[in-house]
Amino acid sequence: MVEWCLPQDIDLEGVEFKSMASGSHKIQSDFIYFRKGPFFGLACFANMPVESELERGARMKSVGILSPSYTLLYRYMHFLENQV
């Protein structure tokens, strides 16, 4: 589920699935590139172990950005990695 976005009125339907790593239960962290309409997306994924039966021992999150330019996405990698 999308927990937060800015601006709040942007259509993010389906982004929650595009921004998660394939085989996420086996990967600790990764960067995922994706498309959403006319935008290019980059998400940083992290699989963090937690002591919670409700979350079955793992909390998986992605923090991402949408940009009109694919070539500018790399500039946000360090920021996304710190935020996840």
Side-chain angles (χ1 to χ4, degrees), residues 8 25 47 68 76 82:
Q8 294 180 355
H25 62 287
N47 182 348
Y76 301 98
N82 287 329

Side-chain angles (χ1 to χ4, degrees), residues 51-77:
E51 293 184 28
S52 167
E53 287 185 32
L54 182 63
E55 295 177 275
R56 295 191 267 171
R59 181 174 299 143
M60 298 179 198
K61 293 197 176 227
S62 287
V63 176
I65 188 166
L66 292 174
S67 171
S69 171
Y70 176 80
T71 58
L72 296 178
L73 290 175
Y74 78 94
R75 293 181 180 186
Y76 301 98
M77 292 179 102

Side-chain angles (χ1 to χ4, degrees), residues 19-64:
S19 63
M20 297 297 282
S22 179
S24 57
H25 62 287
K26 294 183 178 184
I27 298 171
Q28 185 176 358
S29 64
D30 201 1
F31 285 99
I32 299 104
Y33 290 89
F34 61 94
R35 290 287 306 260
K36 173 63 177 162
F39 298 105
F40 298 93
L42 174 63
C44 183
F45 167 81
N47 182 348
M48 303 159 277
V50 294
E51 293 184 28
S52 167
E53 287 185 32
L54 182 63
E55 295 177 275
R56 295 191 267 171
R59 181 174 299 143
M60 298 179 198
K61 293 197 176 227
S62 287
V63 176

Side-chain angles (χ1 to χ4, degrees), residues 6-26:
L6 186 68
Q8 294 180 355
D9 61 347
I10 191 165
D11 174 23
L12 295 177
E13 185 177 342
V15 167
E16 65 274 19
F17 299 107
K18 293 179 179 192
S19 63
M20 297 297 282
S22 179
S24 57
H25 62 287
K26 294 183 178 184

